[in-house]
Amino acid sequence: MLEQNRWSAVYTHPNKELLASFHLQRQGYQTFFPVISKRVKHARKLIDRKISLFPCYIFVQLDPMNDRWSPINGTIGVRNLVMSGNRPALLPNGFVESLGNELAGKREVVSKQYPPLEADAVIKVQDGPFKGLVGQFETMTGECRVRVLLEFLGGKVPVDIDRALVSSIVA
């Protein structure tokens, strides 16, 4: 028997995560839109900007057996609900809660030098909500962040993650 109120991923239009989250909440869905702080230069000043942890994705809590989930696909800002066959793909139990706890405990990132990762290197996530997952290094997305392709939700999903949380696997 499936547990009630599981989390699913929603694929949004680019830079419309907040808009999609707002409209889903207006329809009565509980959403989770994880953001991180990024320091950027603007008009010769350094400012902290909130950016999406998972660009083009937010999470919605629902009971796929009892809730009406098809209206999600027609919501402003939403491309589609991530599916597994003809049902919404469900995230692992505790994933969103773990991610929320991880982000809540996040402090300012201390700049640190790491050994460079080779293009297409196989990496393993050492800590955080993706702990134990293996993926492929894609690129650096910031001073202390990397983009990796993780086997997740039945496919390869690009994820931006703190460089300190990954290590290269030597074949």
Side-chain angles (χ1 to χ4, degrees), residues 110-148:
V110 177
S111 182
K112 184 177 176 185
Q113 295 295 322
Y114 297 99
L117 292 169
E118 304 262 336
D120 298 328
V122 177
I123 59 95
K124 183 173 183 179
V125 181
Q126 301 300 323
D127 201 7
F130 299 108
K131 183 177 182 176
L133 293 180
V134 175
Q136 180 181 357
F137 171 73
E138 202 170 67
T139 186
M140 294 293 293
T141 59
E143 186 177 325
C144 296
R145 298 196 64 77
V146 295
R147 176 166 294 143
V148 295

Side-chain angles (χ1 to χ4, degrees), residues 27 29 62 67-75 78 81 83 88:
Q27 295 175 53
Y29 295 102
L62 51 87
D67 289 348
R68 290 190 49 194
W69 48 265
S70 58
I72 293 172
N73 290 329
T75 302
V78 171
L81 184 61
M83 303 293 284

Side-chain angles (χ1 to χ4, degrees), residues 10-162:
V10 175
Y11 186 45
T12 68
H13 291 284
N15 300 315
K16 300 296 182 195
E17 299 92 348
L18 191 58
L19 180 69
S21 181
F22 172 76
H23 284 287
L24 286 169
Q25 288 174 7
R26 283 187 51 208
Q27 295 175 53
Y29 295 102
Q30 183 178 350
T31 64
F32 179 63
F33 172 39
V35 295
I36 57 170
S37 189
K38 181 180 181 181
R39 188 158 283 177
V40 295
K41 272 188 179 179
H42 179 71
R44 290 189 273 164
K45 292 182 184 178
L46 287 175
I47 59 171
D48 287 328
R49 243 180 109 200
K50 298 286 185 189
I51 62 168
S52 177
L53 181 60
F54 304 105
C56 293
Y57 287 93
I58 61 172
F59 304 104
V60 64
Q61 189 176 44
L62 51 87
D63 177 359
M65 300 306 259
N66 298 315
D67 289 348
R68 290 190 49 194
W69 48 265
S70 58
I72 293 172
N73 290 329
T75 302
I76 296 171
V78 171
R79 283 187 179 171
N80 59 288
L81 184 61
V82 177
M83 303 293 284
S84 176
N86 63 353
R87 293 271 178 216
L90 301 175
L91 294 166
N93 281 330
F95 171 78
V96 169
E97 292 78 8
S98 173
L99 182 60
N101 291 339
E102 182 78 20
L103 292 174
K106 202 76 163 161
R107 293 185 273 295
E108 269 312 299
V109 177
V110 177
S111 182
K112 184 177 176 185
Q113 295 295 322
Y114 297 99
L117 292 169
E118 304 262 336
D120 298 328
V122 177
I123 59 95
K124 183 173 183 179
V125 181
Q126 301 300 323
D127 201 7
F130 299 108
K131 183 177 182 176
L133 293 180
V134 175
Q136 180 181 357
F137 171 73
E138 202 170 67
T139 186
M140 294 293 293
T141 59
E143 186 177 325
C144 296
R145 298 196 64 77
V146 295
R147 176 166 294 143
V148 295
L149 292 173
L150 293 178
E151 285 288 333
F152 193 61
L153 292 171
K156 288 191 175 186
V157 178
V159 176
D160 289 356
I161 192 166
D162 191 332

